[in-house]
Amino acid sequence: MQPVSEAAAVVNLLDLDLESLTAWCAALGEKRFRAVQLFRWIHQKGEGDFGRMSNLAKSLRDKLAAAAVVRPLTLLSEQASADGTIKWLFDVGAGDAVEAVFIPESDRGTLCVSSQAGCAVGCRFCATGHQGFSRNLSTAEIVGQLWFAEHHLRQRLKLAAGERAISNVVMMGMGEPLQNYHALVPALRMMLDDHGYGLSRRRVTVSTSGMVRMIERLSLDCPVALAVSLHAPTDALRDQLVPLNRKHPLDQLLLACSHYLESAPRDFITFEYCMLDGVNDSDAQARELVALVSGQRGAPRVPCKFNLIPFNPFPASGLSCSPRERVLAFAKILQDAGIVTTVRKTRGEDIAAACGQLAGEVQDRTRVQTRLTRPVIRIEALPSGAP
Ligand code: SAH
Ligand code: SF4
């Protein structure tokens, strides 16, 4: 067995974006182009065995074998849905497991990636939130989901050399990505890197429940497409659905969104809105929403698209999904106001892979679970007849 100090010094190269890998290689006396070759082996070819990296000198391969590993995630299980969606569950140690979901469509392959084991935000309608929070994932664990999925799918789908399985990544799995900012940003950079996965900024989306200061930082460090989970047109209601609204109310959130657009790769923010029966789905609330995003409620106007997500129920939520006709009527009000609005198709429902159903296995190290399993207090909606 290796002595502890030696074992601890071994670096998992999945943790390093190209800049960090270059610095790490420099410390081994290697030039940048060697770091690029190594990075390409790992991320473009999915190679984890230094011995097989044929264009690297034997001396470098030996140095790598002594100082580093490419340590992928441990796969616990896979479930495939009738609609082609695949959900993988990965063991991340100490009783925690996280999920990634592949969603194939005719023109794209999207991977939904987790950023934390659990989530500390505790939104009332979210299965992950109900589980509580265990820990942040490392960069290697975040990008490792893409590493696994891309290389596994290339073989499984028998893709030709150079063909990619995954064209889009959405940080919409378990966890609040902006509460794990330091691990997230290098992982995003690896996704975007031409020597890595080469995804365009428009095809990598960070979804956040509204971490205002971190939205501003992301715009400086790594502007990718941004989705914001809005779910309510007023602070009174959002305070109850998304607890961090009490700290970062809607006017601050919309201000951060409008600043973000100055450096974003797209000229709109996607607002996600989970449709909850009798809670946030009335005509009056749709009109409030229009007023909010068009700058009539004190917050700045934010060019946006709406993505209405039918609520995916899970045991203990105490909530139900708005009826289909209600969702469509709500969408029509937004559309009539000139806002592009889509109703998200639910994918992978038969394998609990739909939005908000990802629950993995999380050791709740917070009191979130206790708080959220208290009997649900009916949330007061605006009167449906209100103008
Ligand atoms: N924490 C981030 C990203 C993960 S959640 C966020 O909140 O944005 C991804 C999306 O699924 C969010 O828009 C979230 O609000 C939504 N969601 C959570 N639970 C859901 C449920 N039970 N049904 C439908 N959508 C849900
Ligand atoms: Fe966390 Fe997002 Fe779920 Fe809210 S919706 S509890 S922020 S994962």
Side-chain angles (χ1 to χ4, degrees):
M1 229 177 88
Q2 278 180 319
V4 173
S5 56
E6 218 179 286
V10 169
V11 173
N12 183 2
L13 297 186
L14 290 178
D15 264 318
L16 306 184
D17 61 14
L18 185 53
E19 200 189 320
S20 307
L21 187 66
T22 304
W24 186 82
C25 282
L28 288 184
E30 299 289 339
K31 298 214 164 63
R32 180 180 153 84
F33 84 96
R34 289 289 178 211
V36 170
Q37 284 178 319
L38 178 55
F39 195 78
R40 292 172 70 107
W41 272 111
I42 298 170
H43 296 287
Q44 293 193 339
K45 298 209 169 70
E47 186 55 73
D49 179 349
F50 303 126
R52 290 218 285 260
M53 300 184 177
S54 50
N55 61 353
L56 301 185
K58 170 87 170 64
S59 57
L60 172 56
R61 285 188 261 152
D62 290 345
K63 276 195 255 180
L64 289 171
V69 287
V70 176
R71 191 183 306 115
L73 290 164
T74 306
L75 182 66
L76 280 177
S77 66
E78 174 189 292
Q79 284 174 281
S81 158
D83 68 12
T85 302
I86 305 174
K87 179 169 88 169
W88 293 288
L89 181 68
F90 299 103
D91 181 6
V92 292
D96 292 325
V98 298
E99 293 173 333
V101 181
F102 173 63
I103 307 146
E105 284 169 281
S106 56
D107 59 340
R108 70 181 82 172
T110 303
L111 188 71
C112 177
V113 170
S114 294
S115 56
Q116 300 180 308
C119 183
V121 177
C123 299
R124 196 159 263 295
F125 48 83
C126 173
T128 308
H130 271 249
Q131 280 189 313
F133 176 70
S134 180
R135 70 167 174 89
N136 280 329
L137 297 187
S138 65
T139 296
E141 289 166 335
I142 297 172
V143 86
Q145 297 167 60
L146 176 57
W147 190 86
F148 170 86
E150 176 64 40
H151 299 296
H152 171 83
L153 289 167
R154 273 190 209 173
Q155 287 193 354
R156 180 167 170 158
L157 306 176
K158 299 193 174 46
L159 299 186
E163 246 188 299
R164 301 223 178 109
I166 291 161
S167 58
N168 296 56
V169 168
V170 292
M171 296 301 308
M172 293 184 186
M174 296 165 66
E176 167 49 54
L178 296 186
Q179 283 194 345
N180 185 13
Y181 191 79
H182 294 291
L184 173 74
V185 169
L188 295 177
R189 290 192 175 131
M190 286 187 249
M191 294 173 193
L192 301 176
D193 202 311
D194 284 338
H195 297 297
Y197 301 87
L199 301 179
S200 93
R201 287 183 187 280
R202 303 155 62 90
R203 289 170 174 268
V204 175
T205 302
V206 167
S207 174
T208 178
S209 54
M211 304 283 301
V212 166
R213 275 190 295 278
M214 291 297 133
I215 291 175
E216 308 258 1
R217 279 192 67 180
L218 189 67
S219 72
L220 301 173
D221 294 337
C222 193
V224 291
L226 186 70
V228 171
S229 297
L230 206 55
H231 308 310
T234 60
D235 282 321
L237 181 56
R238 197 165 189 273
D239 281 353
Q240 296 183 63
L241 295 175
V242 184
L244 66 70
N245 193 70
R246 295 171 205 155
K247 217 157 120 200
H248 304 293
L250 283 167
D251 56 348
Q252 288 181 20
L253 179 56
L254 295 196
L255 186 61
C257 290
S258 96
H259 285 165
Y260 193 86
L261 286 173
E262 290 164 20
S263 40
R266 292 185 180 271
D267 54 8
F268 60 89
I269 300 285
T270 302
F271 286 126
E272 293 160 282
Y273 197 95
C274 181
M275 298 297 294
L276 301 164
D277 186 24
V279 173
N280 64 355
D281 64 349
S282 71
D283 287 354
Q285 285 162 319
R287 286 192 285 269
E288 267 297 307
L289 216 44
V290 171
L292 177 73
V293 299
S294 49
Q296 297 164 36
R297 290 290 179 272
R301 186 183 82 85
V302 177
C304 60
K305 290 188 180 174
F306 266 83
N307 196 219
L308 305 182
I309 317 174
F311 170 62
N312 290 305
F314 57 94
S317 72
L319 296 162
S320 45
C321 180
S322 311
R324 181 84 189 155
E325 13 354 318
R326 183 89 299 275
V327 176
L328 296 179
F330 196 92
K332 182 155 190 320
I333 292 174
L334 300 180
Q335 280 157 350
D336 287 349
I339 301 172
V340 174
T341 303
T342 49
V343 177
R344 188 177 292 173
K345 257 201 300 179
T346 292
R347 299 287 305 261
E349 215 172 359
D350 52 337
I351 55 168
C355 293
Q357 290 184 318
L358 302 187
E361 277 297 322
V362 171
Q363 301 305 305
D364 184 17
R365 298 183 210 286
T366 65
R367 289 178 44 76
V368 172
Q369 210 162 36
T370 332
R371 275 191 276 126
L372 285 175
T373 44
R374 283 194 309 234
V376 174
I377 303 149
R378 196 75 193 147
I379 295 162
E380 278 297 310
L382 291 177
S384 55

